[in-house]
Amino acid sequence: MAKTVVALYDELELAERAVNDLVESGYNRESISLLFQDVEGNFVQGEGDEVTVMDDTLEGIAGGGVLGGLAGLVAGLLAMVVPGVGPVLAAGPVAAGLTGAGVGAVAGGLLGALVDTGIEREAATYYAEGIRRGNVLVGVETSARDAEQAESILARHSPVDLEERAAVWRDEGWKGYGAT
């Protein structure tokens, strides 16, 4: 039985280390999900129906640096706009759940894509809100047998304590994730 193990990181560099560790531990690149905002608008520009995807993958775009490293670690890093979140870069099963027929065409919401990968709905709302707030999601689809190892790998890289972070958001007046 397959299981999706996910973690949220405050920094892209921490997420990159987690992804690298997963790959080095033998996890298949196609099973690794990565999702984060394109805050600088380097790869996605515009909003709503007026979206321009600068390139459908990062290979060849990011010569070196963090994004260049990630492009080699995960399969098919895509640029797209997600309603309620904005421009994002995504790879893996979560990206597949977001894209429709064309690259960058969002077929469903972020929350639905996360739930479709097997993440419990309440946790998925926290992950979606974290991404909206600029955090980085890393996930891996694995067997139930290897899920504990994947959790251990992700935990090595200082992930966000999701329950604690959600409590802070609620204290700030957050009422829940909404796709708009």
Side-chain angles (χ1 to χ4, degrees):
M1 174 181 230
K3 180 173 180 172
T4 301
V5 178
V6 293
L8 197 65
Y9 298 92
D10 282 325
E11 300 174 20
L12 187 56
E13 292 82 8
L14 295 172
E16 180 184 24
R17 289 184 200 135
V19 169
N20 191 39
D21 206 352
L22 288 168
V23 171
E24 288 178 0
S25 296
Y27 289 90
N28 186 324
R29 285 171 166 78
E30 288 79 23
S31 69
I32 298 172
S33 290
L34 180 70
L35 186 64
F36 59 98
Q37 283 187 321
D38 179 21
V39 178
E40 302 293 318
N42 293 322
F43 306 101
V44 182
Q45 294 181 346
E47 295 180 18
D49 294 333
E50 302 297 320
V51 174
T52 302
V53 177
M54 303 308 288
D55 195 316
D56 60 348
T57 71
L58 293 179
E59 294 180 55
I61 296 177
V66 173
L67 293 181
L70 284 172
L73 291 174
V74 295
L77 197 53
L78 303 173
M80 66 188 76
V81 173
V82 175
V85 176
V88 298
L89 299 171
V94 172
L98 286 171
T99 58
V103 171
V106 177
L110 177 57
L111 183 59
L114 293 171
V115 170
D116 287 349
T117 65
I119 300 170
E120 193 268 343
R121 187 169 185 83
E122 182 178 5
T125 64
Y126 298 157
Y127 288 119
E129 182 65 15
I131 293 163
R132 190 187 70 74
R133 291 175 181 246
N135 297 127
V136 183
L137 179 123
V138 174
V140 61
E141 284 187 352
T142 186
S143 67
R145 182 187 76 230
D146 292 335
E148 189 174 314
Q149 177 188 12
E151 289 171 0
S152 175
I153 291 169
L154 293 175
R156 289 181 206 156
H157 302 282
S158 304
V160 167
D161 180 320
L162 202 56
E163 292 295 327
E164 183 179 295
R165 186 66 55 92
V168 169
W169 295 335
R170 284 189 293 274
D171 287 347
E172 295 171 347
W174 180 66
K175 302 289 185 211
Y177 176 78
T180 58

